[in-house]
Each structure stands twice: as C-alpha cells, then as structure tokens.
Amino acid sequence: MPVPPPTAAATAARVILTRLHDVMAGRTHAQAKLNNVVQIIGEALTSEVCSVYLLRDGVLELFATRGLSQEAVHVTKLALGEGLVGTIAKNVETLNLDEAAAHPEFAYRPETGEDLYHSFAGVPIVRRERAVGVLCVQHEAPRRYDEVEIEALQTVAMVLAELIAAAGLVDESVGAGVTARDMGPAQLSGLKLVDGMARGHAVFHQPHVVIEHTVAEDVEIERQRVYSAFRQMREQIDRMTSQAEFGTAGEHQDVLETYKMFAYDEGWSRRINDAISSGLTAEAAIERVQQRTRMRMREIDDPLLRDRMHDLEDLSNRLLRIVAGQLGTAAQLGLRQDSILIARNLGPAELLEYDRRRLKGVVLEEGSLTAHVTIVARAMGIPVLGRVRDVRHLVAEGDLLLLDATQPLLVARPSTPMEEVFEAKLAVTQRRRAEFAAMRDLPALTQDGVRIELMVNAGLRDDAAALDVTGADGIGLFRTEFQFLVSATLPQRERQQRLYRDVMDSAGDRPVIFRTVDIGGDKALPYMKVDGAEGEENPAMGWRALRLALERDALMKAQARALLEAAAGRTLHVMFPMVSEPWEYEAARDLFERQREWLAGRGRMGPTAVRYGAMLEVPALAEMLDQLLHRLDFLSIGTNDLTQFLFAADRGNPKLAERYDWLSPAILRFLSRVTQACRVAGVPVGVCGEMGGRPLEAMALLGLGLNRLSITPAAVGPVKAMIRSLDVAALREAMPAWLAEAPRDLRARMESWAGERRVAIL
Ligand code: PEP
Ligand code: MG
C-alpha cells in the first residue's frame, strides 16, 4: 500500500503528540503531567486557555488549566449536562463556538475568570464509549476553531484518556460504583426484532480491547501493523463470504457483500493511516477513527444509513482485535451451552460465526428491524431483542437471562417466581408449537366444510421454506422491496430475476403473489435519490410505492421484465401496492403488458398467463371498485396501511398502536362492503395485512365473507387451529346484526361468541 501524504490535521496533531510523548514517558506525577499537557496544547493551538475536566464522583472537576485562574483547579465542578463542559460530556459531542456565552447551556463560573474569553471549543475524553472528561480551549478573539484544530484536540483527548486511566484519575466503573452483579433481578424492555423466547446465560460478544498505548514510538512500525491487520481481516471476511452457511446466493450474500465492500473501503483505511501519521499507535488510530464514526452516526437521522454504519463499526472492532492480538470474540472462544449474546450491535458476519445450537438468543442495545443482522438472525431462527438500553452495564457476564421477544422483555438474574412464570409460558408455547406442527398437513377447513386459503407473507429467499414448514397454500404477499432494502446497491434485473425464479421454484405449484416494489417514503433506499421524497412530513402518505414507480418507470420496467422472465412457462401473479385511483392500476398493468409484448416480439418465453391484482390500502379506492373490479383478477386488502388511513393513525406510532381496534365497527363495516362488492363482481379477494395473523381478527374476517388470508408464517398454526374449530356459517349469520348495532366493545362480543362455541382463538 502506498503511504498517502499526511493531511494538515495529521501534521498538527503530530506536532502536539511528539511533545506529549515526552511528557507521558516522564516519571512525574499525573497532576504534573496534566499541567504540562494543557500548556503544550494551549501553545500549539495558540489558545489563551486550555483546560482539562475529569469526571470524579459523578461530577466534572477542573483538573488542570492554562489561562484560567489556578484557584479554580479542583474547585470548579459541573454536573453532567451542566454548562458547556457538562453538555459535551453528557452528549459525548464536540462543541465549537465563536461566542460561548451565546450558547443556551453556557454556565458562568466567576472563580475561573473566564469572562475574558469569547470563543470555545471542547471535545469529550472518551473511555469505553463514555465520556470521562472534557478537554477544552478558549480564545479571547471570537472565532471558530478550524477543522484541523478540532481534529488535533480529538486526537489529544485519546492520549489523555490513556494517561488518565493509567493514573487511575477517574473511576473506571463510571457513574456506577456498583457492579451489575450486586443488583437483584432486573426487567429490561426492548423492541422485538425477531420473535421467540430463550433462556440462557449472558455472554458478551466482545471482551473489550483495552488500549495500552496511544502515542506511537515509531510511526512506520504502526503503519505496518495496521497493514497486516487489514490483510488478515480481509482474508477472514473473504473466507466467511465464501463459506456462509446460507449458501452462495440470496439476500445473506447481499448482506455479506456490503460488509465486504466496507472491508475494502479505501476511505476508511486512509483515515486510519492519517491518524497514524498524526503519531498515534495502530490501536489508537483505529479507535480514533471509530470514535469519529460513532459521533457522526449520532447525527445521522436515516435509520438505513445508520444500519450500514454499524457494519463499519463491526469491522473496526474486528480490526482492533486483530491488531491488539485479542482475537477472541465470544464466538471464537467457543460458546457454552445455552448462551444469550449481549452486544451493542452486531454485524451480520459476526452473528454467522456463532454456533447456532448453543446460541439461544441475542440482545442488542441498538438494532432495528431492517438491520442486516436482524434479517440474518431471522433466517437462523434466533430470537432477537433490540434497543435494550444500557444492557451491557446492567447485565454481567454469566448472568441468567430470560428473553421474551413476544413481550418484548429481558429479565436478568430472575427470582424463582419469575423463572417459574417464564418456564410455564415457554412450555405452553412449545406445546402449542408442537400441536401446530402436527396440523401442518391438515387442510384449513372449517367445521362446516368451507376451505379457507391460508397463505404466507414473505420477502426473502429463505422465507419460501416457510411454505413447507407451515403447510401454507402459497405466498399471498411477496414483498419484493426487501431485496432492495438489504442490498448495498440497486439490485440489477438479473439478480431480481434469479430471486423470483428461486422463490417460484421452491413454491412448486403453489402460487406466489409478487407485489411490485413498495419503496420510497419510510422505506427509502440510501443508494437511490428520489426527487419529491426528501424531507416528507408524512412519508407513509408520500411519494412511495406505485406513485413513485410509475414515474421512475425504468425501475418498474426492469422489475416487470425480471418477473415475466422468471415466470417463463408458468402463471405469474403480480399485484400493485398503494393503488389510489383506477388509472394507476391500468398504467401499471399496461407497463407489464408492453414488456410482455416486447419479450414475445423477441421470441423469448414469457409466462403462460399473468394474473393481475391491486392492493386495497388507500380508502379512496374502495369508492371506485365499480370502475376497477372488472379489470382485476384479484384484490388484496392491505389492512396495515388501510387501517392507518381509515383512522388517520400512524401505524408506526406506539402510542396509537392500541388506541383503535382492528375489530372496530368502522373497519369491519368498511371491509364488509369491499368484500361484498368483490363477491358480486366475482373477483377473488383476500387480506394480507397483519390483522389476518391474529386468530380473533382472522375469525372476524372470515365472518365478513373472506376466504383467503395471507399472514406471517408463525401465525399459520394458530389461525389454522381457529379455522378448524369454527362454524363459519353460524358466524356469518351473526355478523350483520353486530355490524348494524355497532357496539363499542365488538371485540368482547366476538370473544364471548367464540368462547361459547369453543373456537380456538388463543
Ligand atoms: C399492508 O399495508 O397491509 C401491507 C400488507 O403492506 P405493507 O405492510 O408492506 O405496507
Ligand atoms: Mg402496505
């Protein structure tokens, strides 16, 4: 690798670090060293003031200063969050202000004599991802510090972190003083990322790499160490990509490819190189770049991009472990039986390294539904609880954990009664799962002999396996945008085609209903800029799905070709999302038909038949069914979006999640009218929203006359059990009176009806 010339920031930091190196190596007392440090930094940045605050007993104490009154040292103290210094420490953020007093958090401390100074810049001193102090400079003239100076300060702050730790100046168990072990049972809530329950002992994914030395003795040696670590890391990633347990094709491959792309990212290695040029050791340089990434990540609002940044963080940790010779993640050291993995976040490749038989669950401090690691965990069948705040501090290695993603809850160090409750629930779940599995090959037939079509929702290649596992009748909704969401770049037509063909192959003669991409709005793709979709206030009602696809028709054409060619020689089922007016459906269908003609004109084999459907998710379309139904082969009601629009209640807002009931008269009356219109027109209609996956709601839908549901695979068992215990004719008889009377507690009414007739709705 050629050595890039050092940047201005690296040169500035190098000058300071060379001088700091001597101070650090000296035999003087820590306080004397700190006094020296503030002099050196102040001089190098020609700042009148340079101060160091350290966190002691939960407050930030002025430990050393050049420029402020010496009487204030060890006297001036600020709470976390108080004043500029407290704000920097609390938020682990950098501040750079030309007029300090103008900042809303500014707190004046007369004993320091700081009223002379206008400009202010401060950076957190970070250890184990928490601020243990603040390094700041002040200037008489009002000016903002430039980027080079801020970078130099950040680099110096790392060195200070080492000095402070070596001298034992701050409490290592920051802010706590008690260890997790001293604590009794704890219940931590989180976000369900992958459903399921697990019992096991806490294992930390990563024993922390403690950086011993931050200032390089010999920059060239450090550079070589990093080069060699990069080589080893890339070899590891290449090996993993080619050996991934999930075969060589598919979304997991896409995920790993993204990961690989980061591993080879020149920008990243250049930044590390630059940090080494500034005089840091290889470990400190990697950590320095990672810290910067973390700080940037905090400012990023885009969840998709944030997920990708986690991949980079994952790699950075790997690199750090290689360079420090601390190679053992919990995966490499070998898991004990029944482990629950704890991590801030995990990369997909890191998760794949674990022994699946021993790994029972995963708990993350971060994590999101669209993160790569979530997708991989789901394919591995491992429950994941995300967004569990501070779990790495509240749980200790080896603690007994009960993970219940259905709740979603984590219990650490449970009391005996807590364990008993959990075990009882687990036993019920396992028993029921066994019962459902036994029903796999039985038809979804009601007591009075009505055959209900029970299909599953899917979106990834491996989801097709759910068909065999559940015995479902087909895939009623294949969300094609998933492939777009897990890819680092726009999936080309060939890749789309391969996925669609594979899914149809695994489905055999069971139908697969492909939904054209529903992207845009909240499912934005980082690699695709869409005019009109940026900064939308209501993305769910925005420039998304078919609205966007009809305008960006190159995307839609490519998908149409991919679907048509993948379905060569068989029937293609395709439906369009978010149709709001009939002409949108017509336009989409036309586009497909033109692509079909194009293929035929070139002698390419297309599908034997195409069955077109629309999704009813926008209430306005229900008013236009007379114009639309005769053009449709089927209609699919997307109750997730439909109900949010009917009630004007954001489906992603947890506060509204419980407020309006799917079993409200308004929703059921609406669905009843739509179902009836379809019946009269002779158009098959089904429901593919989450509503159909809950036994009681599914029962209500059947009561309205629906005979087709497409639901999440885990719900097939419970819903089939409901169907097989239901006399649907009796229900259909009772329904009109309920809808006419429209009681507020319709749910309770139906529950007791089901209870009396022993319909399995639990
Ligand atoms: C729906 O809106 O009900 C639906 C099935 O589509 P999605 O959840 O993908 O928006
Ligand atoms: Mg929808």
Side-chain angles (χ1 to χ4, degrees), residues 305-318:
L305 204 57
R306 229 178 310 155
D307 289 341
R308 305 304 172 264
M309 297 293 272
H310 289 316
D311 291 352
L312 188 57
E313 171 122 349
D314 171 18
L315 280 170
S316 186
N317 290 336
R318 183 181 290 272

Side-chain angles (χ1 to χ4, degrees), residues 431-663:
R431 203 167 48 240
R432 294 194 73 216
R433 204 179 298 149
E435 284 165 18
F436 296 144
M439 279 193 332
R440 199 191 74 139
D441 298 321
L442 299 176
L445 199 65
T446 63
Q447 287 283 313
D448 51 334
V450 178
R451 177 68 163 87
I452 305 297
E453 231 179 307
L454 207 48
M455 311 187 51
V456 287
N457 295 343
L460 295 170
R461 186 186 309 265
D462 289 347
D463 290 349
L467 277 179
D468 292 328
V469 175
T470 59
D473 295 315
I475 296 179
L477 163 64
F478 189 88
R479 292 179 164 105
T480 59
E481 68 274 8
F482 275 21
Q483 185 185 28
F484 289 66
L485 288 170
V486 300
S487 299
T489 53
L490 195 71
Q492 297 303 306
R493 184 164 51 82
E494 289 72 24
R495 250 171 70 208
Q496 295 181 40
Q497 189 175 323
R498 230 178 300 136
L499 170 68
Y500 305 150
R501 192 182 311 115
D502 289 351
V503 172
M504 282 188 268
D505 284 348
S506 9
D509 49 14
R510 291 164 293 193
V512 180
I513 302 178
F514 290 95
R515 169 176 79 183
T516 57
V517 284
D518 182 359
I519 49 173
D522 60 340
K523 290 189 222 161
L525 303 176
Y527 47 80
M528 193 174 109
K529 265 191 115 48
V530 181
D531 284 343
E534 286 130 62
E536 285 181 312
E537 282 195 17
N538 289 306
M541 296 195 280
W543 195 235
R544 64 178 268 209
L546 197 56
R547 300 164 178 186
L548 181 156
L550 285 175
E551 192 183 80
R552 301 275 296 237
D553 69 351
L555 188 81
M556 181 98 159
K557 279 180 187 158
Q559 185 170 36
R561 281 269 304 282
L563 282 166
L564 291 163
E565 293 199 61
R570 41 192 162 191
T571 302
L572 172 67
H573 301 261
V574 62
M575 66 182 178
F576 308 112
M578 292 284 288
V579 179
S580 310
E581 293 195 317
W583 70 265
E584 292 171 331
Y585 166 78
E586 293 294 346
R589 183 182 166 135
D590 266 9
L591 185 146
F592 265 72
E593 284 298 306
R594 280 200 307 277
Q595 291 304 313
R596 216 174 154 192
E597 283 158 20
W598 187 91
L599 283 180
R602 274 155 192 76
R604 305 241 192 116
M605 182 148 72
T608 45
V610 183
R611 301 191 61 75
Y612 291 104
M615 283 188 76
L616 190 130
E617 308 183 85
V618 178
L621 194 68
E623 292 300 324
M624 304 302 289
L625 290 180
D626 55 327
Q627 309 273 314
L628 180 70
L629 285 177
H630 68 283
R631 297 283 293 152
L632 293 183
D633 294 308
F634 63 93
L635 185 77
S636 186
I637 307 176
T639 47
N640 302 340
D641 276 313
L642 178 67
T643 53
Q644 80 163 338
F645 297 136
L646 275 179
F647 270 116
D650 185 347
R651 72 193 247 192
N653 185 335
K655 274 213 152 106
L656 292 172
E658 304 278 301
R659 180 155 187 138
Y660 304 106
D661 195 345
W662 271 324
L663 295 182

Side-chain angles (χ1 to χ4, degrees), residues 662-674:
W662 271 324
L663 295 182
S664 73
I667 290 178
L668 296 186
R669 281 179 178 185
F670 188 95
L671 295 176
S672 167
R673 277 198 299 131
V674 172

Side-chain angles (χ1 to χ4, degrees), residues 457 637-640 642-643 661-664 667-668 671 687-702 704 706 709-712 715 719 747 750:
N457 295 343
I637 307 176
T639 47
N640 302 340
L642 178 67
T643 53
D661 195 345
W662 271 324
L663 295 182
S664 73
I667 290 178
L668 296 186
L671 295 176
V687 161
C688 64
E690 298 304 307
M691 180 177 175
R694 300 190 180 195
L696 187 65
E697 278 82 343
M699 184 191 93
L701 293 172
L702 303 188
L704 297 175
L706 284 149
L709 300 176
S710 186
I711 59 183
T712 184
V719 170
R747 171 176 294 274
M750 288 189 191

